Amino acid sequence: MFATGSREKSDRTLHLSEIAGWTVSEVYATSPLTVIDLRTTGLLRLGISTDAARAKQQEEGRKLSQTLFNGFAVDGILYNSRLTGAECMAVYDRAVDGRLKADGPRRSNGMRSSCRR
């Protein structure tokens, strides 16, 4: 079930039958990526509001990412998911060609999350 806009708690369970037809790929870097870490004190050190990484509205985060992309030779950003707290990485398109590879696709049956919490 999908969450609604209300503040009531809802069942967010995905049943295996709902994803059985999906495929997944594992993506990995073939050489080191230069990323800016916004998971802990990165925003504070840059003097940026935590809303840029944690607010429900995404406008500040998009502006920050565009500023980093335009002004620095970085390949992406590390951040924590606002919803789950899981560590995430956004890789900019300039780092994809020749530096990221993918295994797969393969069926999602029995897949396990590789996200760290």
Side-chain angles (χ1 to χ4, degrees):
M1 298 183 146
F2 293 97
T4 63
S6 71
R7 295 187 183 270
E8 296 177 23
K9 292 190 179 211
S10 61
D11 182 2
R12 294 180 185 220
T13 302
L14 279 177
H15 299 282
L16 184 56
S17 63
E18 295 177 85
I19 62 170
W22 293 6
T23 57
V24 295
S25 294
E26 183 175 354
V27 178
Y28 58 93
T30 58
S31 62
L33 299 173
T34 301
V35 296
I36 295 182
D37 190 346
L38 302 176
R39 295 172 298 173
T40 57
T41 60
L43 291 170
L44 180 64
R45 289 180 179 186
L46 293 171
I48 297 168
S49 166
T50 56
D51 283 349
R54 297 181 186 95
K56 187 173 185 176
Q57 298 298 321
Q58 300 173 1
E59 186 62 28
E60 284 190 54
R62 289 182 183 136
K63 286 180 183 177
L64 171 61
S65 185
Q66 190 66 56
T67 298
L68 295 172
F69 179 87
N70 292 341
F72 301 92
V74 296
D75 299 316
I77 57 174
L78 293 172
Y79 63 97
N80 288 328
S81 166
R82 179 182 67 82
L83 299 175
T84 67
E87 293 177 337
C88 302
M89 179 186 291
V91 178
Y92 298 137
D93 57 355
R94 63 179 167 220
V96 173
D97 288 339
R99 299 192 44 214
L100 293 183
K101 298 286 183 188
D103 287 339
R106 61 181 176 269
R107 284 258 187 233
S108 62
N109 294 346
M111 75 178 190
R112 297 154 101 208
S113 173
S114 61
C115 293
R116 297 183 303 188
R117 296 192 190 259

